[in-house]
Amino acid sequence: MSIDQRRSPRVEFFLVPEAHEQLPVWVIKPQSLADARGGVVVNLSEDGLQILTAAEPALDAQHYELRLLLGEDEGVPLFSASVRRIWTRQLSKIVQLCGFEFETAHSQAEEFLRTQTAQITARKWVRCVLVERMTALA
């Protein structure tokens, strides 16, 4: 019998508030991104995007690499973008909503999300991970 000794869970679960209900969401992270924060892209605008994450631990950093999770297989390409956290709002004890702006225009992740805008607004959210970066892009 083996004992799971991971420092960070590979699956994150939280409830997404939607109208008058709470929708369950699971974010399954690749093994290589087990330490990253899981989230769900729930809104996209010209200025940036909004991502729901679990409230604990709070997102404290300002700069992140956003990586979209488009499948559970390790071989699925991860579209990415450099983003900067602008604001954070606590929605409940277990969920926070964060506003981000893209730091570089026309990244792979931004282009993919723009093609998915109708899906996102129809509650077919795109799962993602946020990997903390120490500094801003030069």
Side-chain angles (χ1 to χ4, degrees):
M1 183 164 120
S2 74
I3 297 173
D4 189 353
Q5 297 187 11
R6 289 184 216 143
R7 288 183 337 169
S8 300
R10 283 193 55 217
V11 177
E12 290 188 41
F13 169 80
F14 49 92
L15 297 171
V16 176
E18 179 68 28
H20 301 292
E21 57 186 324
Q22 301 272 329
L23 303 175
V25 172
W26 289 265
V27 178
I28 301 170
K29 302 180 286 188
Q31 183 66 40
S32 60
L33 295 170
D35 292 335
R37 288 296 301 276
V40 180
V41 177
V42 294
N43 193 5
L44 183 69
S45 70
E46 290 299 317
D47 297 326
L49 66 161
Q50 294 177 355
I51 299 175
L52 278 172
T53 67
E56 293 294 328
L59 287 177
D60 293 328
Q62 188 175 17
H63 302 280
Y64 291 90
E65 181 180 340
L66 166 71
R67 296 184 190 175
L68 303 181
L69 300 176
L70 305 177
E72 297 175 20
D73 189 359
E74 295 276 346
V76 174
L78 298 174
F79 296 129
S80 63
S82 296
V83 295
R84 182 169 68 97
R85 186 175 56 85
I86 304 300
W87 54 266
T88 300
R89 183 180 328 137
Q90 196 83 14
L91 296 183
S92 72
K93 290 182 179 181
I94 60 170
V95 178
Q96 65 185 347
L97 179 65
C98 301
F100 292 88
E101 70 178 4
F102 291 102
E103 292 189 283
T104 54
H106 309 295
S107 66
Q108 292 176 326
E110 181 180 5
E111 295 301 318
F112 177 82
L113 289 170
R114 297 249 177 254
T115 66
Q116 299 296 312
T117 301
Q119 304 281 11
I120 292 170
T121 56
R123 298 196 308 193
K124 295 180 181 172
W125 302 300
V126 177
R127 287 160 174 77
C128 65
V129 292
L130 295 164
V131 179
E132 187 176 334
R133 289 185 298 116
M134 295 300 152
T135 59
L137 297 176

